[in-house]
Amino acid sequence: MILKLSPMKPKAFQEYISFAVNEYAKEKIEVGSWSTKQAQQNAQMTYDRLLPKGLNTPHHFLYSIYDDTVIVGYIWFGADNENQSRAFIFDFEIYHDYQNNGFGSQALKLVSNEAKKMGFDTIGLHVFGNNDKAIHVYQKSGFGITDIKMQKKI
């Protein structure tokens, strides 16, 4: 298994954006952050704000993750909104059929190296609290918890 990152092509970006907006809306509904009624619109506004020029948005880097010639996932990182010396992973996924093969850990190593080459000194990310699999991979890859937001239904 030799994974590599390759800059996302326009066609892959179009497929990614339609999937990602829907997935983000669904995740925000599942964790109780957004109502079903507002989720799709909120998700679209978030992506429009973060990527106003799509693939050409300055300081944002979108990659397809390849295992040989097969795309097994994607990763999007860029300068952290709060501190430009830090990189932030805005979105990351290994497709379901390729999970549990070490691709996630290896991709995180690759993106960390890429971010370091670009001059970033740390890399962060957000993970939904109900995503135990991802939390495990991130912690195994050296990420530590910096904030915890909690809520309960009343």
Side-chain angles (χ1 to χ4, degrees), residues 92 108 125-127 133-143:
F92 172 48
L108 288 168
L125 53 82
H126 167 271
V127 61
K133 262 194 208 179
I135 291 168
H136 172 75
V137 171
Y138 298 143
Q139 288 179 326
K140 189 172 81 171
S141 296
F143 287 83

Side-chain angles (χ1 to χ4, degrees), residues 121-133:
D121 58 18
T122 58
I123 191 164
L125 53 82
H126 167 271
V127 61
F128 287 104
N130 65 347
N131 193 342
D132 294 331
K133 262 194 208 179

Side-chain angles (χ1 to χ4, degrees), residues 90-147:
F90 290 91
D91 202 2
F92 172 48
E93 181 163 351
I94 299 298
Y95 299 134
H96 186 267
D97 290 348
Y98 303 101
Q99 291 177 3
N100 301 315
N101 292 304
F103 292 145
S105 298
Q106 192 173 347
L108 288 168
K109 244 183 240 177
L110 291 172
V111 81
S112 293
N113 291 339
E114 189 71 18
K116 188 173 186 174
K117 280 192 261 180
M118 292 178 176
F120 294 108
D121 58 18
T122 58
I123 191 164
L125 53 82
H126 167 271
V127 61
F128 287 104
N130 65 347
N131 193 342
D132 294 331
K133 262 194 208 179
I135 291 168
H136 172 75
V137 171
Y138 298 143
Q139 288 179 326
K140 189 172 81 171
S141 296
F143 287 83
I145 295 171
T146 58
D147 301 285

Side-chain angles (χ1 to χ4, degrees), residues 25-26 28-29 34-44:
K26 188 176 94 180
K28 291 294 256 184
I29 292 166
W34 292 343
S35 72
T36 304
K37 187 176 180 181
Q38 71 188 108
Q40 193 66 34
Q41 182 180 358
N42 286 354
Q44 188 63 59

